[in-house]
Amino acid sequence: MKCLLLEFLPNTEEKLAEMEVWYAFTARSKTDPTLKELANTVYDELRQAVGSVINYLIKLDLSRPDLDKELEIERLYALVDGLGIHTVLRPDQMNAQLMDDVLTLHLAALCR
């Protein structure tokens, strides 16, 4: 599960460059309707992938019994997106190991 989430994060130089291009594209999509549709599709797919992680935890009965599924999907989605933004904007403060550690801690908090 964590491996899936790490695929969406800029934890290599190549993925960091891709993420920088993605954020430039996203900024441009705010004023270009054709780009906006594609950006929305990509963000929807990211949210679905994050949702699958939460659903998997629930299905395997690994999640806390009081887990609010929809809220945790949004929280994990925001965390993954935020880690990506922090890495692009502050690579001196965010790195691959720290991203991994943050995800590990968050996923553990979702579990029994």
Side-chain angles (χ1 to χ4, degrees), residues 57-112:
L57 287 173
I58 293 168
K59 182 178 179 178
L60 293 177
D61 199 28
L62 297 172
S63 65
R64 292 186 337 264
D66 63 336
L67 186 122
D68 180 327
K69 178 180 151 183
E70 291 305 315
L71 186 59
E72 293 302 343
I73 289 171
E74 285 304 319
R75 193 164 75 129
L76 184 55
Y77 176 48
L79 177 66
V80 170
D81 197 40
L83 288 172
I85 290 170
H86 287 212
T87 306
V88 168
L89 297 178
R90 296 299 306 266
D92 57 313
Q93 292 183 352
M94 183 59 65
N95 58 53
Q97 185 60 56
L98 185 52
M99 283 186 280
D100 190 284
D101 292 346
V102 168
L103 278 178
T104 298
L105 182 63
H106 184 75
L107 291 172
L110 297 173
C111 295
R112 301 177 174 266

Side-chain angles (χ1 to χ4, degrees), residues 21-43:
V21 170
W22 169 248
Y23 286 129
F25 173 85
T26 300
R28 175 70 181 178
S29 76
K30 301 302 279 176
T31 59
D32 185 329
T34 56
L35 298 181
K36 176 77 171 165
E37 185 176 333
L38 180 57
N40 286 342
T41 299
V42 172
Y43 274 114

